[in-house]
Amino acid sequence: MTPPEAPQPSSIDPEEVARYTALADRWWDESGPFWPLHTLNRLRTDYICDRLCAHLGRDPSVPRPLEGLRLLDIGCGGGILSESMARLGARVEGVDVTERNIAVARLHAERSGLDIHYEAVPVETLAARKEQYDVVLNMEVVEHVADLPGFMAACNRLVRPGGHSFIATINRNPVSFIVAILGAEYILRWLPRGTHQWRRFPKPSELEALLAPYGLQVLERTGVRVNPFNRGMHLTGYMGVNYMLMTTRTPAFAGVTELRSRTCGGS
């Protein structure tokens, strides 16, 4: 008798999984549908390394500035960002809910001679295991989940006290609808139509409200500007479309326990 399948966390959207399963084999084609991620990856890799080194007192110019840091890449896809972080010295683990993405990531890492641990599990599973990391990367994922509060609750618990997380996503306003939906998907056709759902774009204030109960404080904020003429990407103070947040978790924070108490029997 075949055992019943375990129930999937409510944050997983089956339609999103199916979409990325169909695209999985094209992750490393820099001229294919994921070219924006390859361009963005160069920018965000430099940003993550620079900001971590600044806050941890490390030298970003050495060959492996993130040496020894345990790092989780959530929604790792084919491993584009995971491999960049591994080359900087971090001990990288990548997770994704799409099995084919993980297969692609494992194969590419093996061919590249990189020791990266990949696993096809949702973040809720890692949180249930009580895993914790020095750095948690949550890049271009939150706009694709069905249950943002539940997803963020699991992600937040994965950041160790004193650790850091990075979140990258798209703001929700009329400008982002014009730029990220109409412009990128329908006019310029940089992304397949239906890649994003505008209503799922979180505003920075909404994300920050989901961070605070877990003792995560925002240290850095930046926008990302896209040049439609040369396909270049640059950091900017304007966060109306693409943006990134860097957070740290207060070392002495006991808020998760307090939150559970209020949930289970509090007022």
Side-chain angles (χ1 to χ4, degrees):
M1 179 177 179
T2 303
E5 293 185 3
Q8 293 295 315
S10 60
S11 66
I12 295 177
D13 184 338
E15 291 185 6
E16 292 292 313
V17 173
R19 185 190 316 281
Y20 284 93
T21 296
L23 292 168
D25 294 334
R26 304 193 65 185
W27 276 103
W28 288 94
D29 179 2
E30 294 195 27
S31 61
F34 291 110
W35 74 261
L37 272 184
H38 285 274
T39 302
L40 179 59
N41 188 62
R42 290 185 281 273
L43 180 71
R44 65 186 180 180
T45 296
D46 289 344
Y47 177 78
I48 291 166
C49 182
D50 178 71
R51 294 298 82 209
L52 281 174
C53 287
H55 286 278
L56 296 176
R58 297 186 175 214
D59 182 356
S61 67
V62 301
R64 294 168 64 85
L66 304 186
E67 189 79 52
L69 293 178
R70 188 186 185 199
L71 182 148
L72 176 68
D73 183 12
I74 297 171
C76 63
I80 297 171
L81 181 58
S82 293
E83 291 200 8
S84 296
M85 294 294 106
R87 289 190 174 93
L88 292 173
R91 294 184 290 115
V92 178
E93 299 176 33
V95 296
D96 200 287
V97 295
T98 302
E99 294 272 1
R100 285 184 63 187
N101 286 347
I102 291 297
V104 170
R106 283 174 177 159
L107 179 61
H108 198 274
E110 181 180 346
R111 289 174 174 173
S112 302
L114 295 171
D115 183 15
I116 301 173
H117 175 73
Y118 287 114
E119 193 173 2
V121 294
V123 292
E124 290 86 352
T125 298
L126 298 182
R129 293 181 194 163
K130 301 188 181 335
E131 301 279 4
Q132 290 200 318
Y133 300 83
D134 300 304
V135 183
V136 173
L137 304 183
N138 192 350
M139 316 297 278
E140 291 81 43
V141 180
V142 296
E143 67 269 26
H144 298 289
V145 301
D147 173 19
L148 182 59
F151 176 78
M152 287 302 302
C155 295
N156 294 340
R157 291 199 295 271
L158 297 172
V159 184
R160 70 163 181 81
H164 297 82
S165 73
F166 290 80
I167 308 169
T169 187
I170 306 173
N171 208 333
R172 188 179 71 256
N173 53 47
V175 175
S176 69
F177 180 81
I178 293 171
V179 173
I181 303 295
L182 294 181
E185 296 185 19
Y186 287 84
I187 298 174
L188 297 174
R189 298 184 181 180
W190 285 356
L191 298 171
R193 292 185 181 183
T195 297
H196 293 117
Q197 298 180 50
W198 180 81
R199 63 182 175 81
R200 287 189 176 174
F201 292 167
K203 296 180 179 181
S205 60
E206 294 170 347
L207 281 182
E208 292 189 33
L210 296 174
L211 296 169
Y214 293 85
L216 285 152
Q217 301 173 345
V218 176
L219 295 176
E220 306 267 359
R221 301 172 178 83
T222 186
V224 176
R225 177 170 58 88
V226 181
N227 187 326
F229 300 103
N230 64 9
R231 295 186 172 187
M233 297 186 185
H234 308 277
L235 299 180
T236 176
Y238 178 66
M239 295 175 55
V241 187
N242 299 83
Y243 66 94
M244 291 190 283
L245 305 177
M246 177 188 184
T247 82
T248 187
R249 188 172 183 186
T250 307
F253 183 71
V256 174
T257 301
E258 295 168 4
L259 184 64
R260 286 174 180 162
S261 298
R262 290 199 301 269
T263 302
C264 294
S267 57

